[in-house]
Amino acid sequence: METVKIRRELLEYLLELAREFYPNEFAGFLREREGIFEEVLIAPAGHFGRNSAFFNTWMLPYDETIKGTVHSHPSPNPWPSQADLEFFSKFGGIHLIIAYPFTEESVRAYKNDGTRLRLEVVD
């Protein structure tokens, strides 16, 4: 299983965002530097609802460090939905899903085709 690396500080921030947006979903874009996810851009002009998060990727600035996405699921289901998989296939890269109860153990990483990846937290 391939591994995705994320800074502990970023993961803790993402978990906090998921808790703050609950019961709605939130979504953002992940910036990677030297093979490690280090920052998140919250989706501009997005809609964050109980069953979905919508944002227009055309609103993103050109940024070669954006290598993935993150969104929360307000249910304990960490698996990508059909809509998630459709988005993954269009955006590419790595995708994190943070499921309720928004703990480190409820975070899953996927490739754009929905294949699960191992998540490694680094300091």
Side-chain angles (χ1 to χ4, degrees):
M1 185 182 292
E2 293 179 56
T3 301
V4 174
K5 295 181 181 182
I6 187 169
R7 292 265 180 235
R8 179 168 304 284
E9 182 178 353
L10 173 59
L11 180 58
E12 289 172 359
Y13 179 62
L14 294 173
L15 294 170
E16 183 179 321
L17 283 174
R19 289 181 200 113
E20 287 179 16
F21 274 85
Y22 182 80
N24 295 327
E25 291 189 11
F26 90 94
F29 299 89
L30 296 170
R31 283 186 169 144
E32 179 187 75
R33 290 194 179 81
E34 299 179 14
I36 302 172
F37 285 115
E38 295 190 343
E39 294 180 339
V40 63
L41 290 173
I42 301 303
H47 164 77
F48 305 111
R50 289 181 186 256
N51 298 316
S52 66
F54 171 80
F55 45 86
N56 189 339
T57 56
W58 292 101
M59 300 288 289
L60 281 177
Y62 178 73
D63 185 339
E64 291 185 0
T65 65
I66 295 175
K67 302 291 184 184
T69 67
V70 59
H71 75 278
S72 62
H73 281 184
S75 75
N77 177 6
W79 307 107
S81 67
Q82 189 59 43
D84 292 339
L85 291 172
E86 287 175 29
F87 175 72
F88 293 178
S89 71
K90 291 180 179 139
F91 196 78
I94 305 299
H95 308 277
L96 301 183
I97 295 177
I98 304 172
Y100 182 85
F102 316 122
T103 63
E104 191 172 318
E105 294 75 28
S106 66
V107 180
R108 300 287 187 275
Y110 301 94
K111 290 167 66 170
N112 62 343
D113 66 359
T115 302
R116 188 163 171 202
L117 302 166
R118 180 179 300 120
L119 188 64
E120 179 182 342
V121 181
V122 298
D123 291 319

